[in-house]
Amino acid sequence: MGKAGRDARRWAKRIVIGLALLLALVFLTAWYFLRGSLPLLDGRRTVPGLHGAVTVTRDARGVPSIAGNHREDVAYATGFVHAQDRFFQMDLLRRMAAGELAELFGAKALPLDRAHRLHRFRARAASAFLNLPAPERQLLERYTAGVNDGLNALGTRPFEYGLLRMQPRAWSAHDTLLAIFAMYLDLQGNATARELSRGWLRENTDAAQLAFLLPTASRWDAPLDAADIPLPQAALPARAPAWWGQAAPSDPALLALDDMQSSIGSNNWAVAGGRSQGGGAIVSDDMHLGIKLPNTWYRAQLQVPDGNGSTRRLVGVSLPGAPFIIVGTNGHVAWAFTNSYGDYQDLVAAQLDAAHPGQVRLDGAWEKITEHAETILVKDAPAETLKVRDTSLGPLMEAGGRTYAVHWIAHETALVNVNLRKLEGANTLDEALAIAATAGIPAQNFVAGDAAGNIGWTIAGPLPRRAGGADATFPLADGAGSWRGWLTPPEYPRVLNPAGGQLVTANSRQLAGPGAALLGDGGFDLGARTRQARDALAALGPRTDERAVYGVMLDDRALFMAGWRDRALAVLDQAALAGQPKRAETARLLRDNWTGRASPDSAGYRIARGFMWSLYELLYGGANVRMQELAGGAGASAAERRWPEVVARLLDEQPAGWLPRQYGSWRALQLAALDRTVAALEADGTALRDATWGARNRAAIAHPIAQAVPALRQWLSTPADPLPGDNHMPRVAGRTYGQSERLTVSPGKEEQGVFNMPGGQSGHPLSPFFLAGHADWVNGTPTPLLPGPVEHTLAFMP
């Protein structure tokens, strides 16, 4: 080989070595960057402004126990650990409420930002903060100091910001109130789509048809104050509305037959001391939310002074962004939440006229519009200015070529507060119920129990005062029918120590009596989940314990779906199967591959579920397309979640005037729904026998960054475990939706309490706490509520 060849080989070798070194350098840089954003677990830090020492100990799963002799010091340390473990999550929470996501994610986030800027929650949060009592402001300020110190104490910025090429913005004291507004959007934000959907139905359906299609109760309802709710059944009109039975023009293969659409969330219950083996109440809670990495909740134990010279232990889940326990126990009282789904928002038709520039007609009179210019920062693009028009009944929005004022209890800044923290000091059930009625959070079903064995229910959060008259579950033609003011705590409904020794709520109608009118119906669930949980809890007998009460959360029996399976089998008779091998296979799976549960290995369950949703598509699909033009999330299931009961009655009575004209009989309609289901399940080449519930209901829980940087998804997501459970049973489970925590405890006996949570404490893939405990949540394995042995200690000194 000549000299030129040898030189070429030397240079090639140098280039290969150089590239290898460069790749190694890039890898090491990325590694050290990621490692730098891991939290401090051990050591001592001097903090000006502390009243005394505070310690943060952690167990093997990263659960902190934060102990101090002054409540503000504990708030500081809570902020510090929240920021170190979860700052990016906290940032997304406040940005979601404020409409500031496009600053991080670019123009693709603009539609959501525009929708949320309508409410001007950042300005409302700043105003609400000034309304807080001075001690509460000081508590949030100390928490904020801890958050910002925790953020700045990281070796590098949280890894998410490096991937997004952004810098984190400091936390402010009123950002905690933005976190509350974020929960308003999550828990009550569907009200607009619901009212627009109901308005469309009212305009395209006569009164008799509307009464039939929108029942006010179902046979599944299990109210707190009665065994059942009377069911005055609406007369079945002779004919269906013109839009009925017009299926959406879509490929059956694309149908979302197994979607968790219409899922709404949370279970809680309490068993009185007379039925518990320990004599105290047992309280259980599992809140259903969209699940990401990290999880919504952050486990914590806080040890704080109780004002009597002793220490009170608070155990449960906190929300990163707030310095207190959201659901849990203080050793005297335990409490839990589910979304109440009352009627807390109205859409009021507003009249604009060129003859009245700058004005709007509401409530029979013209008034001046107040305009606000909202600047939305957009990553890698020019900022956008949004004009928000405000009125005495709320901001104006456009939908379907009309203008509405959004009159929402969330806009009342005087009602937003951190009174929930006062539950730390509650000693009895009565004290807890009184505090709940003053809480400045989205109205929740509040179920609590105390160490003496008392249990009770009320609403936590503001309730609008309605004078009656117009049905406010539809858009109002005039503001006169909208709510005015809000109820005072003595007016709140309550249920105390019922004779059966238990209370259960699961988002369905809570009351059969007159108290129901105080809440209204903002989209109640149809009640199957509530009834199943109620009956399962009662079946535990006269004496039970925490493990058994926890077990009700894992009840995945398909009691609701069994009726739809029976209907499908009834039409798959010998005549239907003749010459139809796919139908024969469908019938076989419904018979032989049915476990009576929402089991991952059951194709029969998935077929029965798909059959019900196919009927929905065939009957409501065309109308849904038109309703969805009004707002995202609009549709018949948003207008009325009891729609399965409507369809079931039609299948039972088979009225000729409601049979879509393209079908010769109700039997033919049902067979078409089954054929449509099979086509969807086999669309990707899957054999029907392999189209099990677990093949569809696999966990797809991931970090938000996995959407922005898909190449990182394998490191920023949970295993794709097949999940048992569904939405009309206590064990609610979907791919990215379900039980965001499971907690069961008897106050004063926290050592016997049990807990599960998906995702683990940390959202950092290099953290030892990433996914710690997640497998227990998947498998339903109860683990201790209290933190385990200390493995790390971080001390803060004045």
Side-chain angles (χ1 to χ4, degrees), residues 400-708:
R402 298 177 184 177
T403 303
Y404 300 95
V406 183
H407 195 201
W408 188 10
I409 196 76
H411 295 152
E412 298 293 338
T413 56
L415 301 179
V416 178
N417 59 52
V418 292
N419 284 353
L420 193 64
R421 187 189 72 81
K422 296 179 181 178
L423 288 170
E424 297 174 0
N427 293 307
T428 66
L429 173 68
D430 284 342
E431 291 178 12
L433 295 176
I435 292 167
T438 71
I441 61 173
Q444 301 288 290
N445 290 309
F446 180 84
V447 167
D450 63 22
N454 299 297
I455 60 174
W457 164 90
T458 191
I459 293 292
L463 295 176
R465 183 183 300 280
R466 296 192 178 277
D471 187 345
T473 63
F474 296 90
L476 299 170
D478 191 278
S482 192
W483 56 272
R484 291 293 191 275
W486 43 87
L487 299 183
T488 62
E491 296 174 284
Y492 276 47
R494 286 187 177 189
V495 177
L496 301 174
N497 292 324
Q502 66 178 53
L503 291 166
V504 175
T505 81
N507 314 117
S508 57
R509 182 171 163 177
Q510 304 94 334
L511 301 171
L518 299 175
L519 307 181
D521 181 351
F524 289 139
D525 197 16
L526 65 80
R529 178 160 44 94
T530 313
R531 181 170 289 264
Q532 186 166 330
R534 182 197 69 179
D535 295 347
L537 202 63
L540 298 180
R543 282 288 185 270
T544 189
D545 61 14
E546 290 89 339
R547 293 292 178 110
V549 172
Y550 161 89
V552 175
M553 290 187 279
L554 304 180
D555 182 2
D556 59 1
R557 290 175 298 151
L559 303 186
F560 171 78
M561 202 54 67
W564 293 96
R565 174 204 181 225
D566 293 343
R567 292 181 187 279
L569 284 172
V571 298
L572 289 170
D573 55 20
Q574 189 172 0
L577 303 185
Q580 296 282 346
K582 288 188 183 297
R583 289 182 183 175
E585 175 71 353
T586 301
R588 185 187 70 78
L589 292 170
L590 284 168
R591 283 193 308 269
D592 302 338
N593 194 231
W594 173 266
T595 63
R597 297 177 177 275
S599 304
D601 59 352
S602 175
Y605 180 83
R606 189 174 177 190
I607 292 169
R609 192 184 198 277
F611 170 58
M612 183 188 77
W613 279 103
S614 282
L615 285 166
Y616 173 79
E617 292 286 345
L618 292 175
L619 297 173
Y620 292 97
N624 285 337
V625 170
R626 296 167 67 182
M627 283 185 263
Q628 286 159 12
E629 293 172 355
L630 299 175
S637 65
E640 183 47 70
R641 300 188 189 277
R642 303 178 184 97
W643 68 264
E645 294 298 281
V646 173
V647 175
R649 184 178 170 191
L650 290 173
L651 296 179
D652 289 340
E653 300 187 21
Q654 302 197 357
W658 285 76
L659 178 66
R661 66 184 65 179
Q662 60 269 42
Y663 303 103
S665 67
W666 285 96
R667 179 176 178 276
L669 168 67
Q670 293 176 79
L671 288 172
L674 281 165
D675 292 343
R676 189 178 177 91
T677 300
V678 172
L681 297 182
E682 293 185 328
D684 61 356
T686 300
L688 190 59
R689 65 179 179 277
D690 296 326
T692 61
W693 181 233
R696 169 59 176 80
N697 204 43
R698 287 185 175 274
I701 302 168
H703 195 291
I705 287 295
Q707 295 181 349

